Amino acid sequence: MLVTGTDTGVGKTVATAALAAFLMRQGRSVEVVKIAQTGDDDDAAEVTRLSGAPARALASYPDPLAPFAAARRSGLPLLELHDVAETVLEAKSEVVLLEGAGGLLVQLGAGGWTARDLAVELGCPAVVVARAGLGTLNHTALTLEALARRGIDASVLIGSWPLEPGLAEYENLKDLPGRRLGWIPAGAAGLDPEVFRLSASEWFDLEGDLRRFGTDA
């Protein structure tokens, strides 16, 4: 299952951790793959800290840029689409959560392949992590359209629902396109990991969507 976003900084890592925690509480074995890490952050370690699921990054580049540009500047090898797909297919867990970098069409590896290309290669569904505030309707619609053009099934997850939502957030909640998977409250990453894991089941109100996604990648 691909976890992608409408943009950078929309909450993909916390959303990935919440999905992992939710699925693990349902008794499924889960592992998380961060496709490419850039900058000083360690998203895989954060996912493991919050959810308890094993997580790893397939490549890490020092500059906080899109992976393709970060690899070019560092001189480190670019990821090959086929190699990443093979890594996922060889996983032993029931569910593999693939966390992208930035938005859906950010270039991740050799030849400029994207998270969408990887989802097509694997035939897996996508979770689109979206913002709650202004601008999210257009960004979400564009991301869902880009996925639909390649036949990728997708649901939408609000990555950070504010503690004090305003008019825009409430109206966007009514108008946000796509099938809703749930929402993550703002500040969730600051919860004690045990509380995070116990609370995760409350953040997904379309449980049937996760069952329909089943144990595909």
Side-chain angles (χ1 to χ4, degrees), residues 10-19 22 50 127 129-130 132 156-163 181-189 191 196 199-204:
V10 295
K12 290 188 301 296
T13 298
V14 177
T16 301
L19 281 165
F22 177 73
L50 289 171
V127 173
V129 183
V156 177
L157 176 64
I158 296 175
S160 181
W161 182 253
L163 299 178
L181 191 59
W183 55 277
I184 311 296
L191 295 172
F196 181 94
S199 301
S201 60
E202 302 172 4
W203 303 333
F204 299 98

Side-chain angles (χ1 to χ4, degrees), residues 86-197:
E86 284 296 311
T87 297
V88 175
L89 292 173
E90 291 171 359
K92 304 302 182 184
S93 298
E94 291 178 270
V95 181
V96 179
L97 297 178
L98 296 160
E99 184 188 346
L104 176 68
L105 299 183
V106 168
Q107 294 179 315
L108 299 177
W113 64 267
T114 68
R116 182 176 68 173
D117 295 321
L118 181 59
V120 170
E121 183 79 8
L122 293 169
C124 72
V127 173
V128 176
V129 183
R131 300 186 192 278
L134 287 174
T136 196
L137 299 182
N138 181 59
H139 293 162
T140 304
L142 288 170
T143 303
L144 290 172
E145 181 177 327
L147 288 165
R149 286 176 63 87
R150 296 292 183 88
I152 302 167
D153 195 19
S155 291
V156 177
L157 176 64
I158 296 175
S160 181
W161 182 253
L163 299 178
E164 296 183 2
L167 178 62
E169 286 78 14
Y170 279 124
E171 291 302 314
N172 285 344
L173 195 60
K174 300 174 187 176
D175 298 331
L176 196 67
R179 201 170 42 242
R180 313 292 175 80
L181 191 59
W183 55 277
I184 311 296
L191 295 172
D192 177 84
E194 187 60 32
V195 175
F196 181 94
R197 297 166 197 177

Side-chain angles (χ1 to χ4, degrees), residues 6-71:
T6 56
D7 197 356
T8 190
V10 295
K12 290 188 301 296
T13 298
V14 177
T16 301
L19 281 165
F22 177 73
L23 289 165
M24 290 168 68
R25 282 187 64 81
Q26 290 191 330
R28 301 188 190 183
S29 58
V30 178
E31 62 184 281
V32 176
V33 172
K34 174 72 177 182
I35 300 170
Q37 179 71 60
T38 64
D40 296 330
D41 293 335
D42 189 341
D43 293 344
E46 180 70 350
V47 167
T48 296
R49 182 185 74 84
L50 289 171
S51 70
R56 57 184 168 137
L58 298 184
S60 182
Y61 306 111
D63 291 316
L65 302 168
F68 190 87

